[in-house]
Amino acid sequence: MLAMDQGMVEEWLSEFKTLPDSAVPTYAASLKDKGALVPALYKVIRENYSDLLEPVCHQLFEFYRSGEPQLQRFTLQFLPELLWSLLSVSAARDPHTSGCIEALLLGIYNLEIVDKDGQSKVLSFTVPSLSKPSVYHEPSAIGSIALTEGALANHGLSRVVYSGPHLQRETFTAQNRFDVLTFLLLCYNAALSYMTAPSLQSLCQFSSRVCICGYPRQQMRRYKGISTRLTVTSEFLVQLITGIHYALCNGEVELGSKALDDVLYRAQLELFPEALLVGNAIKSSLHGAALKNNNKEGARSIQVEITPTSSRISRNAVTSLSIRGHRWKRHGETEKLIEKQLSLNSKPESTDKAGTLQPSATLISRFHLHRSCYGSC
């Protein structure tokens, strides 16, 4: 680590300790202007034997415990690198170098599973109903569904999925490690829109390393890191795919595509149906112009194709305007017929075959009566 980077990190460690509480929001907003600080902190995290690792982890935990959203997001951007440091050290069976990282991750986890009053939180996620249109689909494009009694009962209903309450953890074990890491990735994905490009790159690299270590693809990628196979879970891979999807659609096409292939490679080896379903669905949706239009400096957005709707109204559509026009047309034809009869009966009086007198005034009165009835309609 360069002396310049070390001096910058040491200055960052000292300046926060002297800040009053009223100056914390201003300080949090100024962190984004320190462009050289983030790469220096990445170097500290990657060097497991650095003397600055423990104070840096303590500072990041103080940031997260402060409750300031910008400081919390500043800490979360290093989460993929912290997770990789933890897993790589655990695989090397050298736990003494990862004690501060374990404390930081467990501290963030224990803060997130409770609310402000210290009560366990239960997270809820609403799964939208496919019977209602959205920007992603139209019900008519899915196909007709048989109108059974069960389908009618579930029509328009939204499914709510709950997560929690989660248990507090004091240390990492083989049984709870990936439960904690999966929840931490869930917190990271909730703030994906605030993550910087280096953080998204770190996420993609972390995903590839975790999935290919100890497998033949590691030699194909010429990755010289640890060669021990790391245990993963299906839920953990699904959270990785969620972050990779965002990175793919926001400029990190090369790293994101490689990471997605590696995660699917591992999911096939482990036979994880959830990860395979989500990963293959994302991979299918990204074929075509969506990837071609994105470049390294591409816009941070997700492209969605929406089926265009026709602006032409059907000729058979029944609306209030069509009914009114039809009424005007009908009564107009009636008026023309009466006027024609008046022209034929222009004489003051006329006699029909039965000899009955039919004065023209009767027809005129009928015409006015018809107009008055139409006006009342």
Side-chain angles (χ1 to χ4, degrees):
M1 185 176 183
L2 299 177
M4 182 178 61
D5 294 335
Q6 183 174 354
M8 185 180 303
V9 173
E10 291 175 350
E11 181 183 357
W12 171 74
L13 290 172
S14 61
E15 63 185 0
F16 182 72
K17 297 178 182 179
T18 59
L19 284 177
D21 295 339
S22 59
V24 170
T26 305
Y27 172 76
S30 66
L31 283 176
K32 62 182 179 181
D33 299 329
K34 300 181 179 182
L37 175 61
V38 173
L41 292 177
Y42 271 112
K43 293 179 181 179
V44 173
I45 297 173
R46 288 164 184 165
E47 295 178 4
N48 294 327
Y49 295 94
S50 175
D51 295 334
L52 294 175
L53 181 58
E54 185 174 351
V56 164
C57 291
H58 178 74
Q59 181 89 320
L60 292 176
F61 177 69
E62 291 295 329
F63 275 14
Y64 208 89
R65 190 171 63 173
S66 67
E68 179 66 29
Q70 291 182 333
L71 292 181
Q72 291 179 337
R73 291 193 289 265
F74 183 85
T75 300
L76 282 177
Q77 70 177 321
F78 302 104
L79 187 64
E81 201 66 39
L82 291 169
L83 295 182
W84 172 245
S85 297
L86 174 68
L87 292 177
S88 60
V89 170
S90 300
R93 297 182 180 181
D94 189 8
H96 299 289
T97 60
S98 63
C100 55
I101 296 179
E102 287 187 8
L104 172 60
L105 296 177
L106 286 172
I108 296 175
Y109 168 81
N110 289 325
L111 285 174
E112 282 292 338
I113 63 174
V114 296
D115 54 17
K116 296 180 180 180
D117 300 328
Q119 302 296 325
S120 298
K121 290 193 300 186
V122 177
L123 305 177
S124 61
F125 308 90
T126 302
V127 180
S129 173
L130 293 179
S131 62
K132 296 182 179 180
S134 69
V135 296
Y136 300 102
H137 82 290
E138 291 184 1
S140 58
I142 299 177
S144 60
I145 302 177
L147 294 179
T148 61
E149 184 177 354
L152 291 175
N154 296 326
H155 180 75
L157 296 181
S158 298
R159 181 186 175 191
V160 181
V161 180
Y162 297 96
S163 175
H166 299 275
L167 299 175
Q168 290 191 354
R169 306 294 184 181
E170 297 181 358
T171 183
F172 279 109
T173 63
Q175 289 76 22
N176 66 22
R177 178 180 290 113
F178 274 94
D179 291 338
V180 175
L181 299 187
T182 302
F183 184 83
L184 291 175
L185 277 178
L186 178 65
C187 299
Y188 178 85
N189 290 335
L192 271 175
S193 59
Y194 300 100
M195 295 298 107
T196 60
S199 181
L200 296 178
Q201 295 168 7
S202 177
L203 174 67
C204 295
Q205 294 170 354
F206 165 66
S207 303
S208 294
R209 292 170 182 173
V210 168
C211 293
I212 68 175
C213 281
Y215 289 91
R217 182 168 286 197
Q218 182 177 4
Q219 284 74 29
M220 296 173 58
R221 294 287 173 84
R222 297 179 181 179
Y223 171 62
K224 298 180 180 180
I226 61 174
S227 58
T228 305
R229 295 184 180 182
L230 300 176
T231 304
V232 295
T233 62
S234 180
E235 295 79 7
F236 183 77
L237 293 185
V238 170
Q239 294 300 325
L240 286 180
I241 293 173
T242 303
I244 293 171
H245 186 203
Y246 183 86
L248 269 169
C249 298
N250 290 274
E252 304 300 331
V253 177
E254 183 177 355
L255 285 176
S257 300
K258 186 182 298 184
L260 183 59
D261 289 338
D262 291 338
V263 174
L264 287 174
Y265 169 77
R266 184 63 182 273
Q268 290 173 353
L269 294 175
E270 301 286 352
L271 297 178
F272 289 150
E274 297 86 358
L276 287 173
L277 177 64
V278 177
N280 286 322
I282 292 175
K283 191 173 182 179
S284 300
S285 67
L286 292 175
H287 283 305
L291 288 179
K292 295 180 181 179
N293 294 334
N294 281 320
N295 50 31
K296 194 67 176 178
E297 296 80 21
R300 298 172 66 86
S301 61
I302 296 178
Q303 297 185 2
V304 179
E305 294 185 3
I306 301 177
T307 305
T309 57
S310 177
S311 60
R312 183 174 60 87
I313 301 176
S314 174
R315 295 180 61 183
N316 298 326
V318 180
T319 62
S320 59
L321 184 61
S322 63
I323 294 175
R324 190 180 305 168
H326 179 71
R327 185 181 296 169
W328 274 103
K329 181 179 179 180
R330 184 186 62 187
H331 288 290
E333 293 177 352
T334 306
E335 290 177 2
K336 290 181 181 179
L337 179 61
I338 294 176
E339 290 177 356
K340 184 177 180 180
Q341 291 179 355
L342 287 175
S343 62
L344 293 176
N345 297 279
S346 57
K347 295 181 180 182
E349 294 180 351
S350 61
T351 305
D352 58 4
K353 295 181 180 181
T356 307
L357 185 65
Q358 296 289 340
S360 59
T362 305
L363 293 176
I364 296 176
S365 62
R366 288 181 180 178
F367 173 71
H368 287 294
L369 178 61
H370 175 76
R371 291 180 63 89
S372 62
C373 291
Y374 170 69
S376 62
C377 296

